[in-house]
Amino acid sequence: MSIIKLPSVLAFERKLEPSDGVMFSGNWQDIGNDKKWQPIELFERRNRAVKSNFTQEVLEDEETLQKQIAEANLSWGDDGSLNHGQDTLRLSFSLRVVAGIQNPTACNNVEFESRFKEVIAGYVQGDLQELAARYAYNIANGRFLWRNRVNAQQLKILVGTSELSNKLKFNAYDFPLSGTTTNDKNVAQLAQLILAGFKGEKNTVLKVEAFAQLGDAQRVWPSQEMVLNAAKGEKSRHLFSLNGVQGKDNVAAMHCEKIGNALRTIDDWYPKFEQTNKPIAIEAYGSVTQRGVAYRSTRNDFKTLLLKWLSSETSSQLTEQDKHFVVAMLIRGGVFGEGES
């Protein structure tokens, strides 16, 4: 098979499935005592703020500028914080590891699927340990806490599963966000659990609990909902919440997608990594929307590397890092038929 093209229908299901994360308030010394933790309920905050953003046209007109500066900037949105007298955030979620990386969810080309299964099955049996170790690293370092992680006094991660008699414990600050791998024995044990799930040797479901000591009654940062075309004067900031948590409604939470993005932030193989020294989330073109940059060009994007790998004429051109990236994209999941733009 010398020339391989992507099928018009080609899709892969996610192989790392995090749940939404729920936020609780408590104290650092009460870690391990579930009865001491209360769900964090969102509330609304209304402020009379000052305007600080103006068009160039207004800035060039002193009279109009002064008039607009004098007007109040009314702010209305959701907020959340730890309870008074409590200093620690607990974020809890589950993570299901799904087998079958070598099996497309949908593929309408039998020849392509046969070659794909042959190549990827070989990788799964021999090289998948590297990816499992990187996902384990991002659990241990608490990257999924996002802004809640910044300048916390202490950070602890607990991971439990039916396979463990005792929970794995991690001091998240031992694992820098600039890194992706470590020789830590607990991280290695966690990686083995993830690897067994990927290979279908066990039905792996992890319970992850992260504790961030932020300070008494400090603000917490749930996921923010995207609201399109909000009417002027209406609430402008909507935070993600869940109902029915220990009988409470409107409980602060983090989207499963946001947690998943953190877990797959393992790509330090992209060309400009030495300049940034920051791993990025696994994306087909290495896109980082916060920076407005796509770090992977059409020479080392997912589709190009996948087709090279599947072709007997070009498979030898791929590095081990290229193969890790391709399989990490399969774990991420998505729709990649040639009809997709």
Side-chain angles (χ1 to χ4, degrees):
M1 189 190 313
S2 57
I3 299 177
I4 296 181
K5 294 182 179 180
L6 287 175
S8 59
V9 176
L10 182 64
F12 305 93
E13 292 180 345
R14 277 191 303 271
K15 303 306 179 185
L16 283 178
E17 284 284 5
S19 70
D20 293 324
V22 184
M23 292 180 159
F24 299 85
S25 176
N27 283 304
W28 186 261
Q29 67 267 22
D30 292 323
I31 293 176
N33 186 349
D34 288 344
K35 295 181 180 179
K36 296 287 188 177
W37 298 83
Q38 296 87 41
I40 297 174
E41 295 182 86
L42 297 178
F43 57 89
E44 291 186 353
R45 191 185 295 275
R46 301 172 187 245
N47 293 320
R48 186 177 185 275
V50 177
K51 288 185 177 181
S52 58
N53 188 22
F54 305 95
T55 64
Q56 187 62 37
E57 182 180 1
V58 171
L59 290 173
E60 293 174 353
D61 185 334
E62 183 65 23
E63 183 178 349
T64 302
L65 176 61
Q66 290 298 328
K67 182 179 179 180
Q68 291 198 14
I69 288 177
E71 296 175 353
N73 181 20
L74 302 180
S75 174
W76 173 20
D78 291 332
D79 211 339
S81 65
L82 301 174
N83 296 333
H84 284 276
Q86 296 182 326
D87 64 4
T88 301
L89 164 69
R90 185 182 86 179
L91 177 71
S92 300
F93 66 93
S94 66
L95 177 66
R96 183 164 59 95
V97 184
V98 183
I101 295 172
Q102 68 271 27
N103 300 316
T105 306
C107 179
N108 65 348
N109 185 310
V110 175
E111 185 180 13
F112 178 95
E113 184 172 2
S114 176
R115 174 60 177 166
F116 175 87
K117 288 183 175 181
E118 175 188 351
V119 169
I120 303 304
Y123 176 96
V124 169
Q125 291 305 313
D127 301 308
L128 193 53
Q129 174 68 39
E130 175 68 19
L131 296 183
R134 289 175 178 241
Y135 297 128
Y137 185 93
N138 274 343
I139 294 175
N141 68 15
R143 189 188 297 274
F144 50 82
L145 285 164
W146 292 94
R147 192 170 177 178
N148 300 289
R149 190 188 190 280
V150 178
N151 289 342
Q153 294 171 290
Q154 299 183 79
L155 286 169
K156 179 180 286 188
I157 313 296
L158 302 181
V159 181
T161 179
S162 59
E163 299 295 320
L164 298 172
S165 55
N166 296 306
K167 293 180 180 180
L168 297 175
K169 300 179 181 180
F170 305 95
N171 174 10
Y173 281 141
D174 289 341
F175 311 101
L177 295 182
S178 59
T180 53
T181 57
T182 178
N183 293 322
D184 181 86
K185 65 178 183 179
N186 281 357
V187 174
Q189 186 176 359
L190 178 55
Q192 284 302 120
L193 293 171
I194 295 172
L195 182 62
F198 281 146
K199 290 187 174 182
E201 298 170 354
K202 298 184 188 314
N203 295 323
T204 302
V205 179
L206 306 174
K207 180 181 180 182
V208 182
E209 296 175 291
F211 298 88
Q213 189 179 33
L214 304 176
D216 182 55
Q218 280 290 307
R219 176 178 283 177
V220 299
W221 305 98
S223 293
Q224 187 167 344
E225 302 281 38
M226 184 176 67
V227 179
L228 300 176
N229 302 320
K232 186 176 181 180
E234 295 295 319
K235 185 165 68 172
S236 60
R237 192 170 77 136
H238 298 256
L239 298 181
F240 179 49
S241 65
L242 295 171
N243 295 330
V245 180
Q246 295 183 7
K248 304 289 186 180
D249 290 338
N250 203 31
V251 174
M254 294 190 72
H255 289 141
C256 58
E257 292 87 356
K258 194 171 183 70
I259 294 173
N261 181 281
L263 296 182
R264 70 171 188 268
T265 300
I266 62 172
D267 186 0
D268 58 4
W269 311 300
Y270 63 94
K272 294 185 178 181
F273 172 72
E274 292 184 358
Q275 299 175 22
T276 66
N277 197 35
K278 293 181 179 179
I280 62 175
I282 294 294
E283 297 290 350
Y285 290 94
S287 302
V288 182
T289 55
Q290 299 94 327
R291 303 179 208 167
V293 179
Y295 286 102
R296 289 183 171 273
S297 69
T298 54
R299 295 187 302 275
N300 54 23
D301 66 290
F302 168 65
K303 291 183 180 180
T304 299
L305 293 177
L306 175 61
L307 291 177
K308 278 187 177 181
W309 195 2
L310 298 184
S311 172
S312 58
E313 295 181 356
T314 56
S315 60
S316 61
Q317 299 176 12
L318 264 72
T319 66
E320 289 303 309
Q321 294 181 343
D322 291 335
K323 294 177 181 179
H324 293 325
F325 168 71
V326 170
V327 177
M329 273 296 302
L330 302 178
I331 292 171
R332 177 198 181 279
V335 179
F336 302 106
E338 64 180 3
E340 294 294 308
S341 59

